[in-house]
Amino acid sequence: MPRVLKSFIMEASGNRATAHYLITRRADLSLSSPLHAPGLPMRSLDESDPIAVAMAPPENESPEERELRVQKERAAKQVSDEIDEQLSREQQRVKRQPKPVKILLLGQSESGKSTTLKNFQLMHEPKAFRAERPSWRAIIQLNVVRSFRIILDALARASSAADRPSSAHRSHSSSNAIRPDGELLALRTRLLPLLQIEDTLERRLSSTDDSRSADGPANPRSPTNPARRAGKEVAINSAVAWKKVFMRDPAGRDSVDTQNVVDWDDPDDPGAMLHACSGDMQRLWAHPTVSAILAGQGIRLQESSGFFLDSLEAVTAPQYVPTDDHILRARLKTLGVSEHRMRLSDPHGGITREFHIFDVGGQRSMVRSRPKWVPYFDDVDSIIFLAPISAFDQALAEEPTVNRLADSLDLWTAVVSNKLLAKTNLILFLNKVDILQSKLASGIRMSDFLPTYGLRPNDFDSASRYLRKQFNAVLKQSSPTPRVFYCHLTNVIDTKSTTYVLANIKDVLMRFNLKESYLIL
Ligand SMILES: Nc1nc2c(ncn2[C@@H]2O[C@H](COP(=O)(O)OP(=O)(O)OP(=O)(O)O)[C@@H](O)[C@H]2O)c(=O)[nH]1
Ligand SMILES: [Mg+2]
């Protein structure tokens, strides 16, 4: 095929001498004399081959004419050889084209996998990332309303506990018995309509086939019922379909015009209601009795996912459009696996590479059923494993008897020891260090939840060093082959530090992958 192609190219370029040369070669002609260097054995012309006959040198050719023709044919051969070489180089290049770099994000639910993916997108596809702001605006509104539902439920519980007869009353802790005053109860009543926003947004998300309540299929027509939904979280399967619901122009993903990306005339947009309730929301959140009631019920909203109550003024402002930072803090649970492809460039070699990043929803049923998913990912180059080390004092939402840190170590052990993943690079993110820091500073003792921590100082340096050692020990003991322990202390909602970590990882993976492809020796 290359030769035919070459003939075609040269014919098209008007190089008749070359075409002549090529056709004679292709027809495997051995002409009597002139085509061949003097001295080569002469073979007879095959009269039955019309091409050979057509391309044969003219009869009665004079020695000068012959010389001219031979010269032309030599030049043509040179051009032909160059093209051959070019084609062969191109073939080699295609053969050596490096494989895409595949990265799998793994870790328990709320460990920060999707947030890490958002950082990759922000770094490498900032225009597309920012064009999705209307969709994240809706999720942030959902996060805000969810926080208020937790507060309103806590107020209702406090109110009914305080109303109980004194014997029952005494069995509760004193903070549980704090009675919300008249002002608080009035605020609560005024803010109850907020719960409708949750329904409206969930209904819109449910209009895409693959969104579900985390505990089962969403029922879009169900009445607002906060008690029924308590503890449940909206989850989403496809990264694309749900975003379109909130995009003014889903095709115009390159739009950078901040104000134009949101459809401000959308009658379903909860922005106006949130703005109207903004004063009451801020008053409620700032009320000292509310913090006492939440603390009494063991609710620490500041450390929970999708916390925006310290930014109420901004997120309830008219024509609010989320910042990058807000998008990273927004919480939307992932269901199943989503794949994201992007081209990343190596600033040193000027090479661009295709990266495939898989974000696996961290719900226990998914990550625990390892035999099901491991074979799909045994060819990934690297796993970024996220362990949220701030969760040392928390239980899993799905299994309240299981400590979250113990669960992370368990999952890490399973991944590290899996033989199918023995050749995969493992990169560990000990994540949510900002929350770990503030928890330890507030006096929560690690040794109360992790007896092996013993009498070590209850500060960030000691705690992070200790946890790093624990994860490293698992790698050393359980990996089927010796592996390097790549470990980073991360706060993936902090773009600056995360960009630095991810850029390093990307460079290492690119070089590693290129080496594999023999492009770097
Ligand atoms: N403060 C703080 N918040 C974080 C950090 N990493 C993630 N978050 C927040 O934690 C929440 C959960 O993060 P996600 O990225 O959705 O977690 P995930 O691992 O994808 O969870 P699933 O989809 O349920 O498997 C989000 O609201 C994030 O903004 C961190 O390092 N510090
Ligand atoms: Mg996720």
Side-chain angles (χ1 to χ4, degrees):
M1 151 18 204
R3 216 154 261 158
V4 174
L5 174 70
K6 200 166 59 167
S7 313
F8 178 77
I9 296 167
M10 300 182 84
E11 270 288 15
S13 68
N15 192 337
R16 294 198 55 81
T18 312
H20 176 107
Y21 168 76
L22 288 167
I23 293 170
T24 49
R25 258 181 58 175
R26 184 171 174 269
D28 197 20
L29 285 180
S30 301
L31 298 179
S32 47
S33 60
L35 264 183
H36 297 276
L40 282 181
M42 291 191 189
R43 291 185 223 161
S44 60
L45 177 63
D46 181 356
E47 302 280 344
S48 66
D49 185 333
I51 295 180
V53 172
M55 301 311 291
E59 276 174 29
N60 309 323
E61 191 180 36
S62 71
E64 293 76 27
E65 286 168 339
R66 178 175 171 273
E67 184 56 31
L68 193 64
R69 180 172 55 76
V70 168
Q71 268 177 20
K72 276 186 182 169
E73 284 172 358
R74 272 205 197 105
K77 181 177 181 318
Q78 199 180 341
V79 174
S80 167
D81 286 348
E82 275 164 17
I83 293 177
D84 269 346
E85 209 172 299
Q86 224 173 342
L87 287 171
S88 137
R89 270 202 305 269
E90 180 60 16
Q91 254 175 353
Q92 289 301 318
R93 196 189 64 78
V94 171
K95 228 188 258 172
R96 287 184 177 179
Q97 191 84 302
K99 300 183 294 175
V101 179
K102 292 187 183 174
I103 301 178
L104 175 63
L105 296 164
L106 216 54
Q108 67 184 203
S109 194
E110 294 189 65
S111 54
K113 300 178 294 293
S114 302
T115 315
T116 303
L117 174 69
K118 285 181 202 168
N119 274 283
F120 265 115
Q121 290 169 323
L122 182 58
M123 281 168 72
H124 300 285
E125 297 177 335
K127 268 189 182 174
F129 178 84
R130 291 184 179 128
E132 291 174 354
R133 279 182 291 210
S135 321
W136 290 111
R137 176 175 175 269
I139 301 303
I140 290 164
Q141 291 169 334
L142 197 56
N143 290 171
V144 169
V145 174
R146 189 178 150 85
S147 295
F148 272 96
R149 178 161 55 72
I150 293 170
I151 298 176
L152 299 184
D153 286 353
L155 288 180
R157 276 194 299 275
S159 193
S160 58
D163 285 346
R164 280 198 200 114
S166 51
S167 58
H169 186 166
R170 269 197 299 275
S171 70
H172 286 77
S173 72
S174 59
S175 48
N176 257 359
I178 295 173
R179 179 189 289 278
D181 61 18
E183 186 204 350
L184 264 189
L185 291 177
L187 275 176
R188 181 178 184 274
T189 309
R190 288 208 297 275
L191 289 176
L192 278 174
L194 278 185
L195 303 179
Q196 271 170 359
I197 294 181
E198 207 174 7
D199 258 8
T200 309
L201 289 171
E202 282 187 19
R203 197 166 30 239
R204 291 185 74 181
L205 275 167
S206 309
S207 67
T208 58
D209 282 341
D210 32 26
S211 76
R212 300 278 186 276
S213 143
D215 296 352
N219 177 1
R221 271 170 248 303
S222 65
T224 303
N225 181 351
R228 173 187 57 78
R229 281 199 314 234
K232 293 189 182 174
E233 205 184 345
V234 174
I236 209 80
N237 214 336
S238 157
V240 179
W242 72 269
K243 285 179 183 162
K244 283 189 187 155
V245 178
F246 300 98
M247 307 270 278
R248 178 175 215 168
D249 171 19
R253 282 167 53 92
D254 281 351
S255 170
V256 284
D257 181 347
T258 300
Q259 286 307 311
N260 256 342
V261 291
V262 179
D263 181 1
W264 302 110
D265 303 324
D266 181 351
D268 285 337
D269 183 60
M273 192 203 260
L274 281 171
H275 181 59
C277 294
S278 182
D280 282 345
M281 289 161 84
Q282 292 179 55
R283 267 188 292 282
L284 185 76
W285 175 237
H287 204 292
T289 309
V290 169
S291 23
I293 287 173
L294 290 176
Q297 296 183 18
I299 299 169
R300 299 169 61 90
L301 274 180
Q302 286 91 335
E303 288 152 11
S304 65
S305 300
F307 175 76
F308 287 96
L309 301 191
D310 59 355
S311 320
L312 276 176
E313 201 179 334
V315 299
T316 59
Q319 310 229 327
Y320 160 66
V321 178
T323 59
D324 294 345
D325 171 56
H326 284 185
I327 295 175
L328 288 172
R329 281 164 51 191
R331 163 65 177 160
L332 183 62
K333 191 182 177 90
T334 314
L335 277 186
V337 183
S338 53
E339 181 185 351
H340 302 262
R341 296 181 174 205
M342 51 188 91
R343 281 201 84 75
L344 310 193
S345 58
D346 172 8
H348 310 299
I351 303 163
T352 60
R353 300 293 310 282
E354 177 102 359
F355 272 60
H356 297 183
I357 305 176
F358 300 91
D359 180 12
V360 180
Q363 70 269 29
R364 246 168 111 75
S365 54
M366 176 72 193
V367 287
R368 295 285 145 186
S369 56
R370 283 184 302 280
K372 273 193 214 152
W373 63 261
V374 167
Y376 293 104
F377 296 116
D378 62 350
D379 68 335
V380 296
D381 300 283
S382 290
I383 290 178
I384 296 182
F385 187 99
L386 288 108
I389 49 175
S390 60
F392 69 90
D393 62 337
Q394 288 173 279
L396 285 178
E398 304 137 274
E399 250 172 272
T401 55
V402 180
N403 176 281
R404 286 192 61 189
L405 182 58
D407 179 71
S408 266
L409 262 165
D410 244 32
L411 184 57
W412 171 248
T413 311
V415 170
V416 158
S417 57
N418 194 298
K419 290 198 177 81
L420 286 177
L421 303 173
K423 287 190 182 154
T424 311
N425 295 308
L426 298 178
I427 301 160
L428 176 65
F429 281 13
L430 296 178
N431 193 35
K432 301 203 176 183
V433 292
D434 55 321
I435 301 180
L436 176 68
Q437 245 156 349
S438 71
K439 273 190 182 173
L440 296 175
S442 76
I444 300 178
R445 300 201 59 80
M446 184 157 269
S447 54
D448 289 347
F449 300 88
L450 208 66
T452 52
Y453 191 67
L455 295 173
R456 291 173 179 83
N458 197 54
D459 60 33
F460 177 73
D461 277 353
S462 307
S464 56
R465 207 171 325 119
Y466 176 78
L467 294 174
R468 190 193 272 261
K469 264 192 193 159
Q470 299 295 307
F471 280 86
N472 192 9
V474 170
L475 184 77
K476 295 273 171 299
Q477 281 160 21
S478 308
S479 177
T481 49
R483 273 191 272 195
V484 182
F485 181 56
Y486 296 108
C487 176
H488 300 269
L489 293 172
T490 55
N491 163 8
V492 298
I493 59 166
D494 174 35
T495 37
K496 210 168 154 203
S497 59
T498 310
T499 300
Y500 181 74
V501 171
L502 293 184
N504 265 334
I505 291 176
K506 181 203 73 177
D507 288 352
V508 168
L509 288 184
M510 261 185 162
R511 296 188 74 77
F512 179 80
N513 196 270
L514 290 175
K515 236 182 207 171
E516 289 270 288
S517 312
Y518 309 109
L519 288 182
I520 292 180
L521 298 170

